[in-house]
């Protein structure tokens, strides 16, 4: 099933994400549930949920028989974590 997902991603999803400086990374596919992460400029984008819903989920559910769920795994960027650590370390110092 993951191979079918990758083919669908390569065919239409990745080219669209690339237009916005982003990409998609497959994490897992178990029991009809596909989990992925957005990369590049799409990672952490406020529109990521909308992108997932309208672009990725619809495309994959239509293209891959047996797929039942498409789940975005949110990831906080390292630079954002560094900023948060800096703020917290100053507030405790």
């Amino acid at each position: 099933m993951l191979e079918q997902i990758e083919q669908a991603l390569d065919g239409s999803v990745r080219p669209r994400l690339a237009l916005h400086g982003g990409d998609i990374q497959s994490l897992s596919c178990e029991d009809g549930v596909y989990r992925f992460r957005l990369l590049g400029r799409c990672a952490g984008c406020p529109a990521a949920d909308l992108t997932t819903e309208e672009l990725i989920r619809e495309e994959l559910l239509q293209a891959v028989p047996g797929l039942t769920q498409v789940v975005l795994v949110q990831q906080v960027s390292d630079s954002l974590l560094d900023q948060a650590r800096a703020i917290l370390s100053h507030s405790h110092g």
Side-chain angles (χ1 to χ4, degrees):
M1 185 179 285
L2 195 54
E3 188 174 313
Q4 290 175 300
I5 290 170
E6 286 294 331
Q7 288 175 356
L9 292 174
D10 288 342
S12 63
V13 174
R14 282 194 171 101
R16 287 184 183 159
L17 292 176
L19 293 173
H20 299 276
D23 198 359
I24 185 170
Q25 175 189 20
S26 296
L27 298 175
S28 67
C29 185
E30 298 173 1
D31 301 322
V33 179
Y34 170 67
R35 288 177 167 57
F36 70 95
R37 175 177 294 145
L38 291 173
L39 305 173
R41 291 175 60 197
C42 293
C45 171
D49 288 336
L50 186 62
T51 299
T52 300
E53 184 74 37
E54 291 189 357
L55 170 65
I56 301 167
R57 182 173 292 129
E58 289 302 314
E59 185 72 34
L60 293 180
L61 290 177
Q62 289 177 19
V64 183
L67 188 63
T68 57
Q69 269 189 295
V70 176
V71 179
L72 169 63
V73 177
Q74 294 281 17
Q75 174 183 336
V76 177
S77 72
D78 290 338
S79 64
L80 189 57
L81 284 173
D82 290 343
Q83 289 175 16
R85 287 185 190 106
I87 291 168
L88 290 173
S89 68
H90 289 303
S91 67
H92 288 93

